[in-house]
Structure formats: C-alpha cells, structure tokens
Amino acid sequence: MNPVIPPDQFPDSSSPAAELPRRLTLLQGTALNMIDMVGIGPFVVLPLVIKTLGGSLFLWAWVLGAVVSLVDAFVWAELGAAFPKAGGSYNFLKISYGEQRWGRLLSFLYVWQTLIQAPLVVASGAIGFAQYASYLLPLEEWQRKAVSGIVVLIIIALLYRKIDSIGKIGLIMWGAVLLTLGWIIIGGLSNAQIPLSETLSSIGSVSGGVLAAGLGQASVKTIYCYLGYYNVCHLGGEIQKPARNIPASMFISIVGIAGLYLLMNLSVVSVVPWQTAQNSEFIVSTFVETLYGPRAAQFATVLVLLVAFSSLFAVLLGYSRVPYAAAVDGQFFKIFARLHPTRHFPHVSLLLLGGLGFVFSLFFRLGDVITAILAMRIVVQFVGQAIGLLLLHRRRAADEFPFRMPLYPLPVVLVICIWLFIFFSTGLTFMLSGLSVIGLGIIAFLISAQFRKQWPFGH
C-alpha cells in the first residue's frame, strides 16, 4: 500500500467519530479470547514440540508458554483497563510514547505490521484447517489451498454483522472448543494405555543445559498457541465495564487454556507413545482412532476443524478493529474509519485484512508462518508495550490505572527479558525478516510525515 497519504484522505479530526457500541459482556469477551487462543495451533504444534525436545520434556515448553502469557497479561491488563479503546496496541503505543512524537511512530509501525502479520495469522489457521481436513478426504496441494481460501471467505461473511450477534456466535463456538478439548482429555486419561509415571520419568534425568537448549525453539511454537489472550483489548471499545472485564477476561482465559493444554498433552501421550506422536500429522485423529476406531476419529477431526474455524472467527474480528482505530485517529486512510451504515462495524477494515488473509493462505506454509508471526510481533508490540508501560508510570499518577499489577515493575522487566529470549530463539532468518518489516515501516512513516509536514519534519 502506498505509504504517502494525502491530507484529505484522513478523517476530519475536528468531527467526532462514530463510536462502537459497548455490547460485549465478560463472558462473551472471555469466550472470544479463548476461541482465539485455541485454534488449529495446539493440534498441529503438539507433534512439532515433541520432536524438538523429545520425550516428556515437551511439557516444559507448554508451561513456559503459559508463564510468558500470564506475566505479559499484567502489562495488557494495566493498559487495557486504562485505555479501553478499539485497536488495543495501537492506542497503547501511541499514548505510552507520546501522542505527538515517538508514539506516532510506534503506533504507525504497529498498524504497518498488522497489515502483514494479522493476515498471516488468518492464513496460518486456514492452512492448518486444510491440513487437518485432508484426514477426512485426501487432498492434493492445490486442493488444500482451495480449502484454506474458501474458509477465509466464509469467515468474512460470518463477521459481516452486528457485534451483539457476533457475541452470541462466539459463545456457541466456545462451547464447541470446550467440548472438543474435554472429550480428548477425559477420553485419554480414563483409557490410559501408557502410565503417566513412565511418560514423566525422563524429566528429572535431563540436565538444565540440555533442557534450555531446545526450550526456546519449542516455546516459539507453544507461545503461538497461547496468543490471543489479549483479543479483548482490540475490542476495548465494545466491552462493557472495561476496567474490570478486560483484565478479568484475560486471566480467566490464560489459566483455563493452560490447564486444558497440559491435560490434553498428558491425555494424548498416555494413549499414543511420544515416539509415534512426534511424527503424526493428525495427532488428535490418531489418538481418537487408537481409542475408539476410524469413525470416531472422523468425528473428532470434524470437531478439530470446528475449533480451528472458531479461532479464525475471533482473530479476524479483533484485528479488523486496528486499521479502523488508526483511521479514526487520522493515521490511516479515511475510508477505514467508516462503520457499516446499519450494522455498525468497521466493514472496510474487515474486508482488507480478510482479503489479504485469503491471498496469504494460498502461498505460504504453516511452519514458516507460525515462526514469522511471532518474530514480527515481538519487538514493537510486546517489548514496545512493556517499555511503554514503564514510561507511562513515570508520567502518570497511580490512580489513573484502574488495574495495578503486583510487584511492579518486576513483571514488566521479566516479560521484556523473556520476549527478547523468544525473539532470538526464532533464528537469524526470521529475526532479520521481522526487523526488515520494521525498517520498511520506519521509511514509510518518514515519507508520510514529511509529506504532511508532521513530526519529525514539522509541528
């Protein structure tokens, strides 16, 4: 997209923008978080993590993913409760670094990255959907691409409606997620064929150095499966009682999903030996087939596909609010600030990100997409927000933060160190690709700022 934006293409800052209605409850916000988190990720990542670490060590990667998410959620909770607006990180970065100077650059970079990484997230879910669908019906490569593209188009059609209607759909999808994970957990633990003591016995016999060597690489995959606990922040302008509900929905989501993930992993390896699981492309289907036979495995595959579909629904819903927020703020094309005349949602933003997700789903591979997503987000969004919160605490009084994290600033410093560790664990290629996107974004920002005579080239 052309970064040089004529002044008349921005929303008129002197006129009030149409506000999004606050219709989402705590339950609905939590449901949208959880279905965002539990997409196709845990079902395709589980074998990859086992293969990376071997034996029962893979459980530590899931534990680390939960710890990183929980600590990082304290940062999101403070920012989300204090600034409950559509767009989430866009507003957090702009306010934290100063709305007239560096905040303009950081928030611009976030929107710039969103135009790439949000469609990549959509594409990853669609590609994983097509991969699992091939268990039911063997598909050639071009057929998988067709399936992934069609899934994205259906998601766009479902989201083209009012937010209160979407909240109800989200609750139904949440029920499907809990049903699927519950069946896997109860079925495996109640019909265990491999004692858990045998599965867990190798944890204590491995040195810390060997564990740390593979943990970073494996955790890149598991953390991907936790991403989405902050989806409620992107929908901050549509959440009821945001000072209470935004933090609560995130912590409930993380604790609940972490418990489900760990139980699911234990359940699977209690039925399917980890030596077999690490090479399975359809681990849940293999697991259910071992217990109940081929027909049950086909039904389980359908449930996994429904979970993946639900996650795509929540992902695209949340990210569609980011270009909208930037456009309302005057940092993006005016057309993206438009709400649908009767359904009152940012339909142009939805169509843009959904359309790019459709295109990406036709050209990328799943493993590369997962790592690229994480590498692209870390520097600006996760590390940038954490540092921004430190800056905000220096400028603002404590009573301006409805939610306060315990032991401040230790969680913030800890999460910065962890995210940098994960960033280096993605590998040189993906690190450079993420930094290249940032570099191009800085160039685009400078061109746009110079054209409009704004900071750093004007007042």
Side-chain angles (χ1 to χ4, degrees), residues 107-130:
S107 59
F108 181 94
L109 289 178
Y110 173 68
V111 180
W112 176 269
Q113 289 182 338
T114 297
L115 294 180
I116 302 174
Q117 62 97 2
L120 281 175
V121 174
V122 174
S124 70
I127 294 168
F129 183 100

Side-chain angles (χ1 to χ4, degrees), residues 218-286:
S219 297
V220 170
K221 303 293 190 298
T222 58
I223 290 173
Y224 164 80
C225 297
Y226 284 99
L227 295 181
Y229 52 87
Y230 45 76
N231 191 36
V232 68
C233 291
H234 297 314
L235 302 168
E238 297 159 274
I239 299 292
Q240 298 176 3
K241 300 179 180 178
R244 182 198 68 176
N245 290 344
I246 287 179
S249 66
M250 285 192 287
F251 293 119
I252 292 171
S253 301
I254 294 169
V255 172
I257 291 300
L260 291 173
Y261 280 173
L262 290 172
L263 289 173
M264 183 186 75
N265 277 267
L266 289 173
S267 176
V268 169
V269 297
S270 68
V271 174
V272 181
W274 67 265
Q275 295 89 343
T276 302
Q278 67 180 347
N279 296 313
S280 175
E281 191 176 6
F282 317 100
I283 183 60
V284 172
S285 305
T286 302

Side-chain angles (χ1 to χ4, degrees), residues 23 25 307 396:
R23 303 280 179 81
T25 64
V307 169
R396 301 199 174 207

Side-chain angles (χ1 to χ4, degrees), residues 169-181:
I169 295 175
L171 288 176
I172 295 173
M173 292 181 172
W174 185 36
V177 169
L178 296 179
L179 172 65
T180 303
L181 293 179

Side-chain angles (χ1 to χ4, degrees), residues 89-101:
S89 294
Y90 170 80
N91 291 297
F92 303 159
L93 292 166
K94 180 188 69 174
I95 297 170
S96 298
Y97 290 89
E99 299 186 37
Q100 300 304 321
R101 290 180 175 270

Side-chain angles (χ1 to χ4, degrees), residues 74-84 92 96 233 385-386 388-389 392 401:
F74 283 116
V75 175
W76 286 88
E78 284 211 13
L79 293 170
F83 313 108
F92 303 159
S96 298
C233 291
Q385 279 185 183
L389 182 59
L392 271 177
F401 296 91

Side-chain angles (χ1 to χ4, degrees), residues 151-183:
V151 166
V152 176
L153 295 178
I154 294 174
I155 292 291
I156 295 172
L158 278 178
L159 286 172
Y160 212 81
R161 62 190 69 244
K162 294 181 178 180
I163 189 63
D164 44 0
S165 172
I166 286 175
K168 296 174 183 177
I169 295 175
L171 288 176
I172 295 173
M173 292 181 172
W174 185 36
V177 169
L178 296 179
L179 172 65
T180 303
L181 293 179
W183 184 25

Side-chain angles (χ1 to χ4, degrees), residues 314-326:
V315 166
L316 190 52
L317 169 65
Y319 277 117
S320 66
R321 271 53 180 175
V322 174
Y324 161 79

